[in-house]
Amino acid sequence: MREMTYAEAIREAMATAMSKDDRVFLMGEDVGRYGGAFGVQNDLIDRFGPERIRDTTISELGTVGMGVGAAICGMRPIVEIQFSDFTAQAMDQIANQAAKLHFMVGGQAHVPLVIRAPGGSGTGAAAQHSQSLEAWFAHIPGLKVVMPSNATDAAALLLAALEDPNPVIVLEHKLLYKRTFQVPDEIPPAMLGVGHIERPGTDLTVVATGVEVSRAVEAAEVLAGEGISVEVIDPRTIRPLDKAMIIDSVKKTGRALLVQEAVLTGGFMSEVAAVIAESDAFAYLAAPVKRLCGLDIPIPYNPNLEKAAVPQVEDIVRDARILVEEW
Amino acid sequence: MPSVPLNMPKMSMTMEEGTIVEWQVAEGDAVASGDVVAIVTTDKVDMEVEATATGTVEKILHASGAIVPVGDPIAVIESEQEDLLGDILSPTPTAPPLGRVIAAPLARKLAKEAGIDLAAVTPTGSGGIIRARDVRDVIDQDSRTDVRAGSTAGIDPRVANAPTVTSAPAATAAMTSSLTDGELVGDARSRRLRVSTAAVMSASAAIPQFTVERRLELDATARARRAALNGVGWTTLMVRAYAMMLRHFPLLGGSFTAEGVRAHDRVGVALAVDTPAGLLAPVLRDPDQQPIRELDAAIRQLAADARAGALRPDSMAGATGTVSNLGGLGVRRFNALLTPPQATALSLGSIAHRVEVAPDGTFTAVLGCDVGLTVDHRAADGADGARGLQFLQELFLDPLMLSV
């Protein structure tokens, strides 16, 4: 094992992929000389040159469109969107081209495009640079959606995304870039669509994504001290979703707390709640399924309000206690 | 202090009189408005009669067993309330009774597995919800507690709530019966139902009746049932088809009178339900004119209410025919007896595959059900009954007709 940050792990994975496969290259705003808005690329331009680490104009639609074209022509492009909020600019290429072309041409073409885009709040970037938009992408058939919550997954799932013949969007988290994790010396192979039980437990299932996974684990440790045993599940990819893992866990615990940073209404955890309600786990429910999500507001700039707008460790502890003690 | 008469209440649209089953108060007892003072039965359904005033029971006018017309006084209460307006101005805080038990899904599952009647579990959750732990508490108590039906080894889950069922299988229970010679079997309610059934069937015995039988082929309907018919139950489809038949043939859907057969402008199908207390036959109104899924839900609700003893009196009236189904108990075919003044009754055997010989001499497995149509011979003839069954078969060969 070794210590490395989430950003370093992503950089290493991109370097590994580019070393092994000439078809892999990177495009994005400030990914070259500047090293990336969050320093993810750092010195990659010195190692791979400006042909493969390509700075682009401030035109997300054009960049993703180039990525789609390159992918169809046999390349393995990675497009970095500086803030996932800016995917709104590129949505036509993402939703209508990348995700649909394979089907529109009767399977004659593949679009092996990987889009990396950091989301989430907590950096004081305010309402236009702090959103968690995974539900948008999970609603598009033809697109796979990855949300790595730690450095190992960030590297392993990026490599898995590059091997996938279809478009994958990897929603990284800004707060995690500089966080240090224990990472295996060799990145283990990963599969899209397989969740991970971060911590086993018997009283309550917490399904969490992105930055909320580590908060859920921290909450589980607090609750363990109170005699409440929490199982924390990180789906890792939300589309395809590892439904079986979630259903099996809820059948075991009888309670589900679904935690996401994104706003409540129309969020991905609503989908998870529906998956549970429609499954045979329904009959095992001892308590109502509970969503703990971001408030239905634009992320505030004020740091105290920004923190209050999304689930924190103490929020998870509070809701978990209610579900276990009152039911 | 004023004396307030307590009258026989009208508990359903069709109720004209009620039988006093028992008084729960005696003359001289203090009662509060809303207290249950008597049990009255009508159309096989027992109802509680509540005091309409607070005071003392001054006089009981009719003893148990008496039949009293609706609106006639059955008792007199000497009211302490000088100002009856006060009663109007202070609304009674009693909550309306909920139609069903509220319980967490896991609580339901645990109760079902343990054979526990949820209605007997004390809810401790907020809003009166039964939590899983409430059921576990009951399970953890010793197995002698009377809410345990303990019928896991019994043959019919529908009798799970019967107080007479013990934890032994039905056959064993019968062998070890502790009844003495001449002792009345069953509790008071089930005995009343037997007496009531006896009265109806004695009247039925005076009617010349015959049964025509036919095996209905159901393969086409089985294929349609999952998709086009939304997966509704076979009972629903049978009730639907029978109702369409009653509507289509006035002689079969009517009632015989001294002047001839009088038609009905409605169809009411009584569904015979086996309940812990005995046979009940709640009525579905015009089941041929309801969306099939709604009918399916209504049948399930009615059967559940019947088993739970929660039927409303007005759900017992208005039948123009009766459906009995013993197929679930392994019966291949039987003939039901008429319930006057209904002109027909439909009996359903088990739905199963049977080997049939095709015209070309080959054997095929055909899904079917042996049905019997019992007919009041005064109202219709054998050929009328046969045409009725022919009509049913045509519906099941063209099952989309059932979904309209």
Side-chain angles (χ1 to χ4, degrees):
Chain A
M1 298 292 271
R2 53 196 168 132
E3 282 200 344
M4 71 195 307
T5 66
Y6 188 86
E8 287 165 352
I10 295 165
R11 185 187 316 144
E12 182 187 277
M14 289 193 290
T16 302
M18 284 192 280
S19 302
K20 280 188 185 163
D21 187 343
D22 289 343
R23 299 174 301 171
V24 177
F25 72 102
L26 174 70
M27 291 188 287
E29 293 156 18
D30 297 329
V31 299
R33 281 287 154 233
Y34 187 69
F38 297 94
V40 173
Q41 283 71 27
N42 199 327
D43 61 347
L44 282 183
I45 189 158
D46 298 329
R47 294 158 65 188
F48 295 97
E51 280 291 306
R52 299 184 72 185
I53 307 292
R54 302 175 76 96
D55 278 318
T56 61
T57 56
I58 307 177
S59 170
E60 286 78 10
L61 183 72
T63 308
V64 176
M66 285 192 285
V68 171
I72 291 172
C73 293
M75 300 299 282
R76 295 278 164 163
I78 303 170
V79 171
E80 181 186 289
I81 303 288
Q82 201 166 67
F83 287 80
S84 70
D85 312 69
F86 306 162
T87 56
Q89 284 283 350
M91 213 57 174
D92 179 62
Q93 282 297 329
I94 297 171
N96 290 328
Q97 304 304 332
K100 301 296 191 303
L101 274 174
H102 174 72
F103 303 93
M104 295 304 292
V105 299
Q108 294 179 87
H110 291 281
V111 187
L113 167 69
V114 173
I115 300 170
R116 292 179 37 247
S121 65
T123 61
Q128 296 164 320
H129 297 73
S130 301
Q131 298 172 85
S132 300
L133 300 173
E134 64 269 18
W136 287 8
F137 304 107
H139 200 63
I140 301 169
L143 193 60
K144 291 177 178 142
V145 186
V146 178
M147 293 184 75
S149 67
N150 59 67
T152 306
D153 283 350
L157 293 170
L158 178 58
L159 292 170
L162 279 165
E163 285 179 12
D164 198 284
N166 299 302
V168 179
I169 184 163
V170 182
L171 295 168
E172 297 162 359
H173 199 286
K174 295 191 280 289
L175 271 190
L176 297 177
Y177 278 138
K178 287 182 179 155
R179 194 178 293 177
T180 303
F181 294 87
Q182 292 290 318
V183 175
D185 293 335
E186 194 162 331
I187 299 297
M191 279 177 64
L192 304 183
V194 179
H196 184 246
I197 297 175
E198 291 289 317
R199 184 192 164 96
T202 55
D203 296 331
L204 167 70
T205 299
V206 173
V207 181
T209 48
V211 75
E212 299 294 348
V213 174
S214 52
R215 290 177 187 157
V217 169
E218 204 178 315
E221 280 158 12
V222 173
L223 290 158
E226 302 174 9
I228 295 174
S229 168
V230 176
E231 179 150 300
V232 179
I233 290 181
D234 175 7
R236 300 200 286 190
T237 54
I238 63 168
R239 188 183 180 115
L241 178 68
D242 193 342
K243 296 178 186 175
M245 177 178 283
I246 294 168
I247 290 166
D248 287 348
S249 177
V250 174
K251 283 167 79 170
K252 180 175 70 175
T253 64
R255 299 176 181 89
L257 177 61
L258 314 176
V259 187
Q260 71 182 19
E261 183 180 0
V263 297
L264 175 85
T265 302
F268 185 74
M269 286 303 167
S270 305
E271 179 66 23
V272 176
V275 164
I276 294 168
E278 288 179 344
S279 76
D280 57 350
F282 172 77
Y284 293 78
L285 286 174
V289 175
K290 169 78 181 163
R291 292 171 297 167
L292 174 60
C293 305
L295 302 181
D296 274 331
I297 56 170
I299 294 292
Y301 175 64
N302 174 300
N304 293 327
L305 295 180
E306 181 183 27
K307 199 173 176 212
V310 301
Q312 304 294 334
V313 174
E314 54 270 26
D315 301 317
I316 301 172
V317 170
R318 180 200 60 223
D319 280 5
R321 270 195 207 121
I322 290 171
L323 284 177
V324 174
E325 288 170 5
E326 295 191 5
W327 291 91
Chain B
M1 282 191 272
S3 289
V4 180
L6 178 64
N7 299 334
M8 175 64 74
K10 187 172 177 70
M11 293 159 161
S12 73
M13 292 299 289
T14 55
M15 176 174 172
E16 290 172 356
E17 59 189 24
T19 306
I20 296 171
V21 175
E22 65 173 300
W23 282 100
Q24 301 205 336
V25 294
E27 288 177 5
D29 283 0
V31 293
S33 179
D35 283 358
V36 175
V37 295
I39 305 292
V40 164
T41 187
T42 175
D43 298 333
K44 289 191 181 182
V45 174
D46 292 350
M47 299 290 291
E48 294 173 342
V49 177
E50 296 175 356
T52 52
T54 297
T56 307
V57 179
E58 186 180 347
K59 182 77 182 161
I60 287 176
L61 300 172
H62 294 282
S64 297
I67 298 172
V68 182
V70 167
D72 280 12
I74 57 174
V76 178
I77 295 172
E78 191 182 59
S79 173
E80 293 163 353
Q81 286 157 293
E82 294 293 346
D83 182 5
L84 291 175
L85 274 180
D87 215 10
I88 297 165
L89 294 173
S90 60
T92 48
T94 50
L98 286 162
R100 50 179 293 203
V101 174
I102 314 173
L106 183 59
R108 289 186 188 281
K109 184 172 188 292
L110 292 172
K112 192 176 175 191
E113 286 167 358
I116 289 171
D117 181 2
L118 271 180
V121 176
T122 306
T124 62
S126 67
I129 296 173
I130 296 172
R131 302 185 291 178
R133 67 186 66 189
D134 301 334
V135 177
R136 288 202 181 97
D137 285 348
V138 174
I139 295 171
D140 289 345
Q141 288 167 14
D142 74 35
S143 57
R144 287 165 299 166
T145 171
D146 60 4
V147 298
R148 272 187 76 93
S151 66
T152 47
I155 53 165
D156 184 356
R158 287 173 297 178
V159 298
N161 298 336
T164 51
V165 173
T166 69
S167 60
T172 315
M175 277 186 281
T176 58
S177 165
S178 59
L179 293 175
T180 58
D181 187 32
E183 184 181 339
L184 287 168
V185 178
D187 61 11
R189 176 165 161 72
S190 67
R191 293 204 303 274
R192 283 199 303 281
L193 274 183
R194 286 255 64 82
V195 170
S196 169
T197 302
V200 173
M201 284 305 134
S202 297
S204 179
I207 297 172
Q209 50 190 291
F210 63 87
T211 303
V212 285
E213 292 182 357
R214 176 169 182 143
R215 183 166 179 76
L216 296 179
E217 288 185 17
L218 300 176
D219 279 317
T221 305
R223 283 192 297 274
R225 193 163 74 96
R226 287 263 156 244
L229 295 172
N230 296 310
V232 299
W234 281 110
T235 301
T236 303
L237 296 170
M238 291 289 180
V239 166
R240 168 76 116 210
Y242 178 51
M244 292 170 78
M245 188 202 81
L246 293 177
R247 181 91 61 189
H248 191 259
F249 297 95
L251 291 180
L252 300 177
S255 292
F256 180 77
T257 68
E259 301 93 323
V261 175
R262 286 195 185 278
H264 295 299
D265 63 355
R266 63 176 201 280
V267 171
V269 173
L271 185 65
V273 181
D274 179 33
T275 77
L279 173 67
L280 286 175
V283 179
L284 294 147
R285 303 280 159 76
D286 294 322
D288 55 332
Q289 294 179 345
Q290 203 174 1
I292 193 80
R293 286 187 74 162
E294 281 180 24
L295 176 62
D296 195 57
I299 286 175
R300 286 171 206 277
Q301 186 62 49
L302 209 55
D305 287 349
R307 284 170 198 138
L311 287 174
R312 298 204 319 271
D314 61 4
S315 64
M316 304 296 288
T320 61
T322 297
V323 170
S324 300
N325 182 1
L326 292 177
L329 293 172
V331 170
R332 195 153 156 174
R333 62 168 175 261
F334 66 104
N335 71 311
L337 297 179
L338 293 174
T339 303
Q342 301 163 23
T344 68
L346 187 70
S347 50
L348 305 175
S350 52
I351 292 174
H353 283 94
R354 210 70 50 80
V355 174
E356 306 268 0
V357 184
D360 64 357
T362 58
F363 300 106
T364 46
V366 177
L367 187 70
C369 176
D370 285 335
V371 304
L373 185 68
T374 301
V375 181
D376 182 343
H377 206 340
R378 301 169 307 173
D381 301 323
D384 295 315
R387 278 188 285 271
L389 291 180
Q390 176 79 37
F391 182 85
L392 292 184
Q393 179 63 80
E394 283 165 7
L395 288 176
F396 284 108
L397 289 176
D398 188 8
L400 289 184
M401 300 285 290
L402 296 168
S403 72
V404 180

